[in-house]
Amino acid sequence: QVQLVESGGGWVQPGGSLRLSCTASGFTFSNYWMYWVRQAPGKGLEWVSAINTVGVNTYYADSVKGRFTISRDNAKNTMYLQMNSLKPEDTALYYCASDLVATVHPTEYDYWGQGTQVTVSS
């Protein structure tokens, strides 16, 4: 049974930091590209970041570039998103997702987690 489980969300003040984790099971993690996708209240899915199978190549949406860092540990079947300098507009439900191929279209991703809420406010 495939599972992606996110953790690490919460409330933080503007300028603060959070580290999200996504732990995978039920598939060969190291074969899959991994993604972070978010959905703000009342808005559609927004692709945030991607990392290739070996963790060498990373990609970011312009809205988070320079503030967020994606990484993965294939030995632990886990992906991370370090979020710094958080802004109120980063408030969203953050999902991890996976796919065998590289694509910035979230609707094409094979597997999804349940999401973890990130709220940035003073």
Side-chain angles (χ1 to χ4, degrees):
Q1 179 184 359
V2 171
Q3 274 196 310
L4 291 173
V5 179
E6 302 96 336
S7 61
W11 173 83
V12 64
Q13 291 186 330
S17 298
L18 283 174
R19 188 194 195 204
L20 305 184
S21 299
C22 170
T23 301
S25 60
F27 64 101
T28 305
F29 181 76
S30 58
N31 287 350
Y32 281 71
W33 281 72
M34 295 298 296
Y35 304 92
W36 288 101
V37 179
R38 67 187 181 184
Q39 187 167 27
K43 296 191 176 181
L45 294 173
E46 178 188 10
W47 177 85
V48 173
S49 185
I51 188 166
N52 74 341
T53 57
V54 294
V56 171
N57 297 326
T58 59
Y59 306 88
Y60 300 93
D62 287 344
S63 58
V64 306
K65 199 171 294 182
R67 300 187 297 121
F68 290 11
T69 303
I70 190 172
S71 61
R72 66 189 294 165
D73 184 340
N74 286 349
K76 296 182 178 180
N77 285 2
T78 301
M79 173 180 66
Y80 306 95
L81 186 68
Q82 178 66 44
M83 305 186 296
N84 298 330
S85 302
L86 282 161
K87 305 175 181 180
E89 51 263 44
D90 294 318
T91 295
L93 188 61
Y94 283 71
Y95 297 96
C96 67
S98 61
D99 201 278
L100 282 170
V101 299
T103 174
V104 295
H105 302 294
T107 56
E108 299 177 6
Y109 296 156
D110 288 338
Y111 305 130
W112 288 80
Q114 300 271 39
T116 186
Q117 179 67 39
V118 172
T119 302
V120 185
S121 73
S122 53

